[in-house]
Amino acid sequence: MKKTVRDIDVKGKKVIERCDFNVPMKDGQITDDTRIRASLPTINYLLENGAALILMSHLGRPKGEPKMEFSLGPVAERLSEYLKRDVVFLSSPTVVDEAVKKAAADLQPGQVMLLENVRFRKEETDNGEGFAKELADLAEIYVNDAFGTAHRAHASTAGIAAFLPAVSGFLIEKELKFLGEAVEKPERPFVGIMGGSKVGDKIGVIRSLLEKVDTLLIGGGMMYTFYKAKGWETGTSILDQDNIDLAKQLLTEAEEKKVRLLLPEDVVCADAFENDAPSDVYPADAMPKDRMGLDIGPKTCETYGRIIREAGTVVWNGPVGVFEMPAFAEGTRKVAEAMAACPGVTIIGGGDSAAAVTAFGLADKMSHISTGGGASLEFLEGKTLPGVAALQDK
Ligand code: ADP
Ligand code: MG
């Protein structure tokens, strides 16, 4: 168990917190401030408990240079609206400079300042010790609440923790609770659902889930690589040619481990990768040569839906069809609905799966939607996340 902000006394202390303010922007405007809103509980907790708070984050990929289109200025403004107080923001091209140091030193309990985009400095992603120390020198306690970058050993996510007592905020605490419990002591039956476009991206997670789940449901673009492994026709569907042997291996491993690995029994096949392309449903082993599979079929939806509704724990990563096109979103919707109806613990990992669930209006019916795409996958793979490992144990 990692220490959280609840386990330390922050009264009268300078606290530096790594947030995830990597919000989507268009023409200098924030187009979605979900991440800013999600960070408020930890920020408010620290301010209410008497911390003088210095916030930092990255935004986009300025690649180690002070590119002003990636400035956190707009975030400072939005944050100040939500916090109903001034947010001191000194846009320094070096993130830390004399003026920033002075502002940090003068900061009083209940006051908050935001540093400029940490990726304006090359040392951030190199985890440069010098930069980590510059950041650490501004404060007495380090808080990390940016789960989405916790799988990266950067100066602001890992390096800084060498110099300060380090604890998690509420967002990382929740991620560790749900993902951790799912992996370590799941309510059974434990069901995994894997979709998305390529098997190659997700081999590690599939392998790791095979050690833990009772049932693994496959869908999405990756199912055709499994079909091929079984010797079935896959038409013009997306295919991970390099990983057919691997899919064979995974099928064997599942059998050896007595994990029920299910492939979709029917498929929606279309003439083209287009929403209005003519389409029909085919059995798994009878796909036509000239059509492509874009969604799981109705029988599969029923089978998968039943298994999901009866699960004690469900972890889902990757849409089971091309959900961006309404004509091929049905399978993904049915999976999301079954999860919403499941009384067990339901966890979504993966950016596109989370977007799908949100688009269906079912987000608040899930136990947990992980905010870190790559980070949650690495966690489910059983890898150590540097940004989490750097935090103090309870
Ligand atoms: P996540 O972000 O949830 O981890 P991925 O990024 O792995 O998911 O995959 C999401 C993408 O997979 C979506 O853009 C979706 O359109 C695509 N996809 C799902 N099924 C298919 C399919 N049958 N053919 C092609 N692409 C697919
Ligand atoms: Mg994705």
Side-chain angles (χ1 to χ4, degrees), residues 15-250:
V15 175
I16 186 161
E17 182 188 347
R18 176 60 155 95
C19 298
D20 180 1
F21 293 143
N22 185 29
V23 289
M25 306 268 294
K26 196 160 188 270
D27 306 324
Q29 302 286 323
I30 298 170
T31 54
D32 178 359
D33 67 6
T34 308
R35 286 178 170 165
I36 298 178
R37 283 183 285 116
S39 70
L40 296 174
T42 305
I43 294 174
N44 278 320
Y45 175 91
L46 290 167
L47 292 173
E48 279 159 20
N49 282 278
L53 189 56
I54 301 154
L55 304 173
M56 59 181 166
S57 174
H58 79 283
L59 174 67
R61 294 168 186 264
K63 306 226 167 102
E65 281 168 41
K67 296 200 186 107
M68 275 310 150
E69 66 264 38
F70 298 109
S71 171
L72 281 170
V75 171
E77 264 175 53
R78 185 65 55 92
L79 201 53
S80 143
E81 286 165 27
Y82 282 125
L83 295 175
K84 299 188 184 66
R85 65 186 93 196
D86 278 344
V87 173
V88 179
F89 178 68
L90 301 175
S91 179
S92 166
T94 55
V95 186
V96 182
D97 60 18
E98 288 312 313
V100 168
K101 282 186 204 167
K102 179 162 189 321
D106 292 345
L107 205 66
Q108 297 302 307
Q111 292 185 333
V112 53
M113 76 183 276
L114 173 64
L115 303 182
E116 186 53 281
N117 190 340
V118 284
R119 290 197 190 163
F120 279 8
R121 290 279 291 271
K122 194 174 130 317
E123 302 97 307
E124 163 65 1
T125 49
D126 295 345
N127 196 10
E129 198 180 354
F131 182 46
K133 183 147 196 321
E134 278 177 53
L135 294 170
D137 282 347
L138 300 173
E140 298 156 281
I141 293 170
Y142 168 65
V143 175
N144 190 359
D145 211 20
F147 187 70
T149 46
H151 60 315
R152 305 277 180 237
H154 292 171
S156 70
T157 64
I160 185 172
F163 304 103
L164 294 175
V167 302
S168 80
F170 299 134
L171 288 177
I172 288 197
E173 179 188 32
K174 183 168 184 247
E175 295 280 358
L176 297 181
K177 174 176 155 40
F178 278 99
L179 297 176
E181 277 176 16
V183 173
E184 272 140 39
K185 40 177 176 154
E187 286 294 325
R188 294 192 179 269
F190 183 7
V191 176
I193 312 158
M194 292 298 298
S197 41
K198 289 196 245 141
V199 198
D201 296 346
K202 311 242 165 126
I203 295 163
V205 188
I206 298 178
R207 277 241 153 82
S208 149
L209 284 180
L210 280 180
E211 301 287 332
K212 297 175 172 104
V213 298
D214 302 294
T215 304
L216 188 60
L217 308 175
I218 302 287
M222 70 165 67
M223 64 194 251
Y224 308 102
T225 309
F226 283 95
Y227 275 17
K228 210 52 167 191
K230 296 200 63 111
W232 296 341
E233 175 62 51
T234 58
T236 56
S237 311
I238 184 172
L239 187 67
D240 216 343
Q241 203 74 48
D242 299 341
N243 284 314
I244 298 170
D245 281 340
L246 187 103
K248 271 187 203 157
Q249 262 176 43
L250 291 172

Side-chain angles (χ1 to χ4, degrees), residues 195-197 201-202 220-221 224 238 273 293-295 317-324 349-353 377:
S197 41
D201 296 346
K202 311 242 165 126
Y224 308 102
I238 184 172
F273 195 80
L294 296 181
D295 197 6
N317 174 272
V320 295
V322 184
F323 76 101
E324 296 93 337
D352 290 293
S353 334
L377 284 185

